[in-house]
Amino acid sequence: MKKLPISQHILEIVSDAGEGAQKAGSIFAQTTAKMGNYLWTVELIPSEIQPPPHTTRSSSGIRIRFGSEPITNGGNLTNLIFVFNEMSLLARLEAHALAEEVIVFIDNQWASDPNPDIVRQYQQILAELSQRGADIYELALSQEVEPFTEDPQKGKNMFVLGVLGFLYQRDIDLLQACAAKAFSHKSAQVLASNRALIQAGYAWGQGQLDFCFSIPLLPHAAPMVTLNGNQALAYGAIAAGFELCSMYPITPASSVAHTLANIFEEFGGMVHQAEDEIAAIGVALGANYAGKPAFTVTSGPGMALKTEFMGLAVITETPLVVVDVQRGGPSTGLPTKIEQGDLLSSLFATPGDAPKVVLAASSIADCFHLMKTARTLAEELRILVILLSDSNLATGMQLFERPAISAISSSPPHAAEMESLPYHWDKLTGVPPRLIPGVSQKVGMTSSLNHSEAGLVRYDSLANEAAHQMRSHKLATLRKCLKPPAVLGEEEGDLLLIGWGSTKGAIAEAVQIARGNGLKVSHLHLVFLNPLPPRLKEIGAGFKKIVVVELNYQDVPGDPYTKDAPRLSQLALLLRSHTLLPIESFARVWGRAFMPQEILTQIEQEILALEAS
Amino acid sequence: MKTLHVDQFTAGYCPEEAGFTLERYAGEQPRWCKGCGDYAILVALEKLLALKKIPSNQVVCVSGIGCSSRFPYYLKTFGFHGIHGRALPISTGVKLANPKLTVVTVMGDGDCFSIGLGHWMHAVRYNPNLLVLVLDNEIYGLTKQQTSPTTPLGTKTKTTPKGPYIPPLNPLKLIMGATGVSFVAQTATWMPGHVSATLAKGMEHSGLSFIRILQRCPIFSPQAFGQGGKEREGFCFLTHEQGILLEDNLQNMAESLPHDPRDFSAAQALVQQTEDAEKGFTPLGLIFQALNRPSYEEVRFRSISHPSPEEKAELLLDKLKPFEI
Ligand SMILES: Cc1ncc(C[n+]2csc(CCOP(=O)(O)OP(=O)(O)O)c2C)c(N)n1
Ligand code: SF4
């Protein structure tokens, strides 16, 4: 038995939708985290619930990058893939996700399928892979599980979990415990059968394989938790003191509400599923107005519907948090895939001048902690806060330090001076007091029309200009409080990469490798997209070239048709206007995250071009 | 004190009593047109709040957009002038935040029956404890005379110069078909005493009290409702001891029809008759009331706990336990 030492690996488990690859993967991930490895998972989700089986479109699975050192992104190409049929393998091959020397485990029942087309297809795909250099292990998965389950369709994933448990030398008792917990709502019979399947898979590995991996385990210094991004938003909302989540279901945002629906009432909270996204934000706004911290959570199409209410929140200066778990757009776009396409619409979609705070989570830890940041800013500044997440964070699992919380307060701050006028703006900060109906003694009007300090309608130029100025001052107030962003690497050099959101880890990893290779490249990550933090222009001026790396559209470089005036990506456009620096971009809408290797290649090309000029 | 037109049907009412004066509830000087029916409703509501002695800081008036939606400015309570069609979600949010507040939602016919129709039907189903007033002038007022869902055939508007192409929507039929409906009444601005009595009944009801108020708009729909009842028959007071009691002087303003508002089938049959525009049958009074339907906030608050900030923190750490490694 060969024990191959590795420091990290990328593993994929891919099956037909409904065969439980994701479930097996998440149990594997839980076990792995508990044993002392770091990880980052990405779910591979088909858009339909039951797509035609045994096709590339029906493949559903999970990608797990894990290892001894902290892991900040999904990584490069897959090292080992376990597939339940050859079409899933083809799907991943076509997605360019697999390393050339990938280790493949595959159910070989298709090699003897009565349908000769399937047999041919199976052989072709395997031949192609082995030509590329893949190491292929075929196993009679369906037959192996037969003794343990009535429905092999349902049992294969647990057998696979056992095989992987052996391959990566996972603690079998811990693996069994995590599986039992994941199925704790199932019957004793199912639990027993799962147990036997995992055991059988592990034994199969022991008996049939002549190798396994060994990954150093380093116990974590502080207590850690593993959550996916939507769970983190939900628990973060509780920790932040929110008491109402008003929403309308939409992929990939819904599971924030699913998580809350199970537990929120114990905390005095409620999930309100409204009749549509418009009503959802309306209810959240009404609740905040009357003193209950409330937020709404949605994705692109829902954001579009909420714009008029966002304008109302801005002009009435009602504190409000809107969470946007971004997916591919426009319109229905790529509902289950990652994109960072809502940046500019978050800033500017509301007609009229509507200053608001926009911030973005880069990790699952951010998803948790930024909920509190968002609530605090919304209430302190009486402002609309948009928190951006994305579909990879939504379903991906990561480790972070268990938060320390000693008290969770839900009562909103309000005007100490209860006799004040509703819009008695602080002339400097622009922040008005907060009158809460039923709490404040003096009544006041809250108006969607332009209004005076007294909350009364004012149509005259001076009053309109004044109200706009005050609302804008609130953003300036926040900007003056923000620290300049930290630069990874030197504050001057050849190339500065700027990013935001969940691409942070991949960019940082690429930059670190490039720096290790002697390239003068640095990385700047933005949490606040509006207002932008100070010193961006000064930092940018220290570099020969600045490239924004983000997952949204820019005109394809080299396209002769758009070469005369290529459209820029979103943050590049924003930063150009903000800094007046000739910022460029490396932006793609591939429906998946960047791999560090792709960013590294881009860095190398940019630096070569700089040297050439 | 501001001079207010206090009509003859309020004899015996003492505004000065216990300091709950009309003035206390009167906000800005209204800027509706002369003869606009909205004035009568405003006065009726101010009187009702004074009568019920509800502290003005415990009242929130939420509205959409339209002439009618200027209502909150003219009341001296908390007011929220929202956006077109969306007053009901805001109101529901207010009730979920603080069920103790008295919330009055004011909308126009375009506001509620056109752009806000979806919210209206769902609000009826949720049944939050709101007093919902729809000021129906059968026309778009603020935007200057476009057709409304309730504009009758033959009424010329700026978007239908030959009159609407399709028959009007019947809000009474619609709401009586909605799951969970708990209070439906109709009244008319040219009968201020009846408006007052209807508002009072609605405010006493726990749940969503929907009151459609036929509202005169002398500017853009002067002919509506047969010039406010002057040129048309068919108005009919619904009489019942559980309904809206008629003051003597109202009784000869229209026919009366005995109708038990607690009888759902009778209410449904009644609103079916309003469909025939030819007949012009227009019931005024309490059409339907279901008692003991819990309000949405009641249902939601019943199932939540009230942990202290420290208990919440402890509970959260507990919930995170399974995710600990
Ligand atoms: C989203 C949106 N669409 C359109 C308008 C323009 N608008 C303002 S009020 C109104 C209709 C007013 O009619 P109604 O609701 O019947 O109220 P009334 O003015 O007659 O009281 C319209 C279409 C708007 N303010 N917002
Ligand atoms: S236009 Fe009609 S509804 Fe509007 S204020 Fe004038 S009379 Fe009243």
Side-chain angles (χ1 to χ4, degrees), chain A residues 520-533:
Chain A
K520 290 189 181 128
V521 54
S522 300
H523 172 213
L524 187 151
H525 175 80
L526 295 173
V527 176
F528 280 86
L529 284 321
N530 203 41
L532 286 163

Side-chain angles (χ1 to χ4, degrees), chain B residues 32-34 36-38 67 137 141-142 215-220:
Chain B
W32 289 308
C33 311
K34 202 160 156 259
C36 177
D38 292 349
C67 295
N137 52 10
L142 191 69
Q215 178 233 322
R216 296 215 54 207
C217 168
I219 308 297
F220 293 127

Side-chain angles (χ1 to χ4, degrees), chain A residues 356-372:
Chain A
K356 58 183 90 76
V357 176
V358 179
L359 62 170
S362 69
S363 64
I364 308 259
D366 273 2
C367 289
F368 185 93
H369 294 293
L370 288 181
M371 285 303 285
K372 171 87 186 201

